[in-house]
Amino acid sequence: QVQLVESGGGLVQAGGSLRLSCVASGRTFSSYHMGWFRQAPGKEREFVARISWSGSSTYYEVSVKGRFTISRDNAKNTVYLQMNSLKPEDTAVYYCGASRSYFGASSKEYNYWGQGTQVTVSS
């Protein structure tokens, strides 16, 4: 069992930056692939970025590539999402997910989820 807690969301102007954190409970965090997803009102949850258990592989959704960076610190049981050059269309609730074996972009395949953190970007 893994429990995830996100933090770091907030209100920011367009062009600004935020750093999201997701802290995991348990001693097996380093064996999980981790992903960040987001969900805007009336829309489905969508993939943003993912990182392999070792941190050696990362992938990004096209619209955030070059602006967002995913990283992890296995010693701190934490995965991060650095978000720069934020746009109003980045406004959503951001969730982190943990996967025991699946390393892809489908939210349905992730085993555990946090409660989410709201990111609002004003124009």
Side-chain angles (χ1 to χ4, degrees), residues 84-103:
N84 298 330
S85 302
L86 282 161
K87 304 175 180 180
E89 51 263 44
D90 295 318
T91 295
V93 177
Y94 282 70
Y95 299 89
C96 69
S99 168
R100 284 188 293 266
S101 58
Y102 174 76
F103 187 50

Side-chain angles (χ1 to χ4, degrees), residues 11-88:
L11 173 63
V12 64
Q13 288 188 332
S17 298
L18 284 173
R19 188 195 197 200
L20 305 184
S21 299
C22 172
V23 180
S25 64
R27 295 174 291 178
T28 59
F29 172 76
S30 60
S31 65
Y32 284 82
H33 303 308
M34 299 297 296
W36 283 99
F37 292 75
R38 64 188 179 188
Q39 188 166 16
K43 295 189 176 182
E44 291 189 353
R45 191 170 297 188
E46 66 174 7
F47 166 75
V48 175
R50 64 185 187 268
I51 187 166
S52 61
W53 65 270
S54 66
S56 61
S57 296
T58 58
Y59 294 91
Y60 298 90
E61 194 271 329
V62 171
S63 70
V64 309
K65 197 168 185 179
R67 300 188 297 123
F68 292 9
T69 303
I70 188 171
S71 61
R72 67 189 297 162
D73 185 339
N74 286 342
K76 295 182 178 180
N77 279 13
T78 304
V79 61
Y80 304 97
L81 186 68
Q82 177 67 45
M83 305 187 295
N84 298 330
S85 302
L86 282 161
K87 304 175 180 180

